Amino acid sequence: MGWTDERVELLKKLWQDGLSASQIAKQLGGVTRNAVIGKVHRLGLSGRATPSKPARTVFKAPRPARAVAAPSAPRRLIEPSSMVAQPTPVRYVDETPGTATVLTLAAHMCKWPIGDPSLDNFTFCGRRSDEGPYCHEHAQVAYQPAQARKKSSAAELARSLRRYL
């Protein structure tokens, strides 16, 4: 099928509306996506409205509730000269193991499986994991240090080489 004036005008309109080349090819019929792209370039069309993107639903896991601090006594002003820099401990919300499901598992949560995956009560650890997929305790179980190899004696070396001779 050739490019008639009506088809070229329809191509220009659909291109300005932001349709993709494959969507335009389907509407025109008888042409491929590459043919549409080639015609767009030969016509020098540019400046599209907005590229078409399929509407995707984004599911975010609910955030755990933050601990609310109790109101404290009124603060008093401290002279800057008397202040001594003291590190403040970082405290995280207590995340009990076994509370994360597949739907609530987030990026920095421990992905250690707990229970049988075929049962309804299957969960993941869910505690905070700073590096890697597991929390500190489960990482110690998952990643065991490599065992040191024993040094080969001359007799063992000769025995292992015999199979290649």
Side-chain angles (χ1 to χ4, degrees):
M1 189 130 220
W3 288 102
T4 62
D5 292 337
E6 296 86 29
R7 288 169 63 91
V8 171
E9 290 303 317
L10 182 58
L11 167 71
K12 288 179 182 179
K13 179 192 172 298
L14 295 174
W15 185 258
Q16 289 300 321
D17 289 344
L19 270 68
S20 69
S22 58
Q23 291 170 332
I24 294 171
K26 284 181 187 175
Q27 286 198 10
L28 290 174
V31 292
T32 63
R33 170 186 166 274
N34 288 335
V36 170
I37 292 171
K39 190 65 173 177
V40 164
H41 286 292
R42 285 190 301 278
L43 292 172
L45 298 179
S46 63
R48 299 172 57 143
T50 55
S52 64
K53 291 183 182 175
R56 293 174 34 172
T57 10
V58 178
F59 294 103
K60 290 188 176 182
R63 290 185 162 205
R66 292 184 175 224
V68 179
S72 59
R75 296 183 180 187
R76 57 187 172 101
L77 295 176
I78 301 173
E79 293 294 321
S81 60
S82 66
M83 291 186 354
V84 177
Q86 294 179 356
T88 56
V90 177
R91 294 187 182 170
Y92 296 103
V93 177
D94 182 28
E95 298 166 326
T96 57
T99 58
T101 64
V102 172
L103 299 176
T104 61
L105 204 58
H108 295 289
M109 293 175 79
C110 179
K111 292 160 185 70
W112 187 266
I114 297 176
D116 185 4
S118 63
L119 299 177
D120 289 337
N121 63 351
F122 176 71
T123 59
F124 294 92
C125 171
R127 285 185 278 197
R128 182 160 181 81
S129 62
D130 294 325
E131 292 182 19
Y134 306 123
C135 63
H136 178 71
E137 290 80 16
H138 287 129
Q140 288 180 331
V141 175
Y143 306 116
Q144 295 291 321
Q147 299 293 326
R149 289 187 171 188
K150 59 181 180 180
K151 293 185 178 181
S152 301
S153 65
E156 288 181 48
L157 182 60
R159 190 173 346 145
S160 65
L161 288 177
R162 271 190 226 131
R163 64 180 152 173
Y164 296 109
L165 298 175

